[in-house]
Amino acid sequence: MRALIRSNPALPLLLFLLALMIYISPLYQTGPGLMSFLQRAAPLVILTCGATFVLISGGFDLSSGSLITLVVIAGAMITQGDPALAGLGLAAVLMIGLSVGLINGLVVARLHVPSIITTLGALLAIKGVAMAWSGGAPSSSLPDNLRALGRGRISDVPVVGSVPYSVIILIVVIAASYWLLHRTNFGRMVFMLGDNPRAAVLGAVPTHRVRVLCFVVSSLTAVISGLLLGGYSGVSVDVGSDLALQSVAGAVIGGVVLLGGRGTILGASCGALALYSIFTVLNLIGVSQPVRLAVQGAVLVAAASTSKRR
């Protein structure tokens, strides 16, 4: 048990917060209530899985939140709510995500610009494109077959009643991320790059390629999160605006070291769920949005301090 907690420090916090949620609200005492919680938390957890690759490699990706905004707006503007254009819209947002990840990774790897500066610039540029494309107020919506990703569910499931599609997508993303980071040569090279970049170069690790692929993974998870958020919450220029920092906070709570080289997908996922549980508890007891933002900052600092000490 001690080894489990050491490898996944967010697990005790998550279990405590879930117990507190169940105690405060009867909704979370039921299977459907817990499924609803996972449905709402899925975009943050998925984004955190992608952010974990960049963080373990020794970088930051601050552009993922604005990329989510662009994905939602682009999907709506391209399809204009027409289900027949859903395939075109899906292909377009995937290409946008792939392009952003490649550009971020190449600028960091080839031009040696610090990742925090690169992705901060990308954040502003992507946000500007999204605002210019939509005119600041999107007039269209995602088609119903794309919105089903965030709102649809499988009915008549024993115990829980129904399982949202977003929860199934969440499980698939966590499993794929775990396999990629912890069961492949690519994952081992990510850890080597974050732990000691010089040793990784001397060990014949293709560091430029690995770093670029980490940013691509992060951007693709942002695309998935954007589709789920757009399907669940609708189209807005503010969707995803806070998720980049929340994904970093969730990963750090789950034991990912900010300077790279340490962390797990399961730990980061539990950290993101714990962070979302904190927001849920604060909402249940009636805490205002400004206070929730202050708590988010305090949690990030506390998690980073604990991670450094550990």
Side-chain angles (χ1 to χ4, degrees), residues 1-13 15 253-255 310:
M1 179 61 71
R2 184 176 300 176
L4 177 62
I5 294 176
R6 189 181 300 116
S7 63
N8 192 349
L11 184 58
L13 175 61
L15 293 176
I253 292 171
R310 195 169 54 242

Side-chain angles (χ1 to χ4, degrees), residues 41-120:
L44 174 59
V45 181
I46 290 172
L47 191 64
T48 302
C49 287
T52 299
F53 282 83
V54 177
L55 290 170
I56 291 178
S57 71
F60 284 90
D61 188 357
L62 301 180
S63 66
S64 55
S66 59
L67 179 55
I68 288 175
T69 304
L70 180 58
V71 164
V72 174
I73 289 176
M77 299 297 288
I78 291 172
T79 62
Q80 294 293 313
D82 185 356
L85 297 177
L88 175 62
L90 184 60
V93 297
L94 285 173
M95 287 303 300
I96 289 172
L98 180 62
S99 300
V100 170
L102 283 173
I103 292 172
N104 283 340
L106 289 172
V107 170
V108 173
R110 296 293 183 180
L111 301 183
H112 306 290
V113 179
S115 59
I116 193 168
I117 301 299
T118 299
T119 56
L120 180 60

Side-chain angles (χ1 to χ4, degrees), residues 11 39 48 59 67 83 134 165 170 184 187 214 291 297:
L11 184 58
Q39 181 181 24
T48 302
L67 179 55
S134 65
Y165 294 152
L170 169 63
T184 66
C214 287
V291 176

Side-chain angles (χ1 to χ4, degrees), residues 5 17 23 25 38 45 58 91 117 119 123 126 136 144 185 187 203 209 214 225 240 250 254 268 270 275 279 293:
I5 294 176
L17 289 168
Y23 174 77
S25 174
L38 290 175
V45 181
I117 301 299
T119 56
L123 180 157
I126 295 169
D144 291 339
N185 286 331
R209 189 186 311 163
C214 287
S225 297
C270 286
L275 183 64
F279 297 154
L293 290 175

Side-chain angles (χ1 to χ4, degrees), residues 17 23 25 108 110 118 140 154 164 174 179-180 224 229 250 297:
L17 289 168
Y23 174 77
S25 174
V108 173
R110 296 293 183 180
T118 299
S140 55
I154 299 175
I174 290 176
W179 172 80
L180 186 60
I224 298 172
L229 275 172

Side-chain angles (χ1 to χ4, degrees), residues 39 146-153 164-166 228 230-234:
Q39 181 181 24
L146 281 184
R147 295 200 70 182
L149 294 174
R151 287 182 171 269
R153 57 184 62 230
Y165 294 152
S166 54
L228 296 185
Y232 185 81
S233 304

